[in-house]
Amino acid sequence: MTIDFRQAEKELISAGVRLDHLGLAPATSGNYSIRLNDKEIAVTVSGNHKGKLKSGDFLRVDMDGKALEDKKPSAETLLHCQIYKCYEKAHAILHTHSVAGTVLTRFFADKDFITLKGYEMLKIYPGNTMNTHDISVHIPVFDNTQDMVELASRVDIVLEERPDLSVYLIRGHGLYAWGETIEQAEYITEATEMMLRCELETLKLKGAMR
Ligand SMILES: [Zn+2]
């Protein structure tokens, strides 16, 4: 599949508006991308507010994250490239920073996954081929670092083992979600963030009932 760069910009701009309305793009956090063809990705430049993106706030990079024009890509571009390489079907990637994802991954500081169980919205994941709510999905959680090469090497091991995945979390940081279309990536992001919020609210209720 080949996508025009301008079309990719439009799709990513509207994704940013939507995610910002949901409180998933505070300050200049997050980064978004679309696979243009088998050699190039359109990705957000570093530093802009993702709810106020405009044409020109994106650049082309190659599959190793190297900028193909004179702009600075998001610091985490390497993680996008890695997902596109591991998942042939991935067409769009959205990275969000949320309260629930941040609090939960810090609260469960010794856990390398967060389990979502029994939620109707689990049906959103393409890896849930049974199309049922009656499953447990273990979302990998990776410890945060500013060393993207080191982080990518840890992520790589898990992605290789989990062809079913369409999301992962970085501790105290945020969520990566991908889909076969930008729309699917948005739905997976929204559904995952919603279920993480449910987990957080449940923990609070349990604490209040003690
Ligand atoms: Zn981030």
Side-chain angles (χ1 to χ4, degrees):
M1 187 161 41
T2 302
I3 297 274
D4 174 68
F5 183 70
R6 297 283 165 230
Q7 180 61 27
E9 280 193 323
K10 268 190 210 163
E11 292 182 356
L12 294 171
I13 288 168
S14 67
V17 170
R18 183 169 169 149
L19 295 176
D20 185 32
H21 279 151
L22 295 169
L24 300 175
T28 60
S29 67
N31 38 69
Y32 313 145
S33 72
I34 281 182
R35 192 203 293 264
L36 297 170
N37 53 52
D38 57 2
K39 293 193 179 69
E40 296 177 354
I41 301 162
V43 66
T44 40
V45 297
S46 182
N48 293 322
H49 194 293
K50 304 305 176 296
K52 301 175 193 169
L53 290 170
K54 55 192 183 315
S55 179
D57 289 343
F58 304 86
L59 79 157
R60 289 183 183 82
V61 299
D62 69 13
M63 296 305 278
D64 295 318
K66 192 171 144 261
L68 299 174
E69 49 197 292
D70 191 20
K71 289 179 183 172
K72 188 168 175 263
S74 291
E76 295 164 42
T77 298
L78 194 57
L79 301 178
H80 289 248
C81 298
Q82 178 178 45
I83 291 167
Y84 288 122
K85 282 181 188 169
C86 281
Y87 297 91
E88 219 173 62
K89 286 183 174 174
H91 165 75
I93 300 171
L94 299 169
H95 168 51
T96 47
H97 289 198
S98 72
V99 171
T102 302
V103 172
L104 286 170
T105 54
R106 283 164 57 94
F107 185 76
F108 295 111
D110 56 345
K111 280 188 132 187
D112 56 7
F113 58 88
I114 297 249
T115 300
L116 301 176
K117 191 178 174 195
Y119 290 105
E120 176 67 15
M121 295 215 86
L122 289 170
K123 285 156 69 176
I124 200 82
Y125 296 128
N128 180 2
T129 50
M130 304 288 280
N131 198 31
T132 175
H133 69 282
D134 194 17
I135 55 165
S136 296
V137 171
H138 304 292
I139 300 180
V141 180
F142 301 98
D143 287 334
N144 199 19
T145 174
Q146 300 308 313
D147 182 343
M148 287 305 132
V149 175
E150 191 275 326
L151 176 57
S153 69
R154 279 186 280 127
V155 172
D156 213 35
I157 295 165
V158 174
L159 295 191
E160 289 279 318
E161 290 170 353
R162 297 280 307 271
D164 61 305
L165 269 188
S166 43
V167 287
Y168 69 73
L169 286 155
I170 306 176
R171 196 178 316 281
H173 178 163
L175 174 76
Y176 270 85
W178 54 96
E180 293 180 29
T181 61
I182 183 77
E183 195 174 48
Q184 188 183 43
E186 284 178 34
Y187 290 169
I188 290 171
T189 302
E190 286 178 27
T192 306
E193 292 287 9
M194 182 266 189
M195 290 185 277
L196 291 173
R197 275 202 310 280
C198 291
E199 289 292 303
L200 179 58
E201 292 300 321
T202 305
L203 268 184
K204 290 198 290 198
L205 277 180
K206 280 182 181 165
M209 287 166 72
R210 261 192 208 139

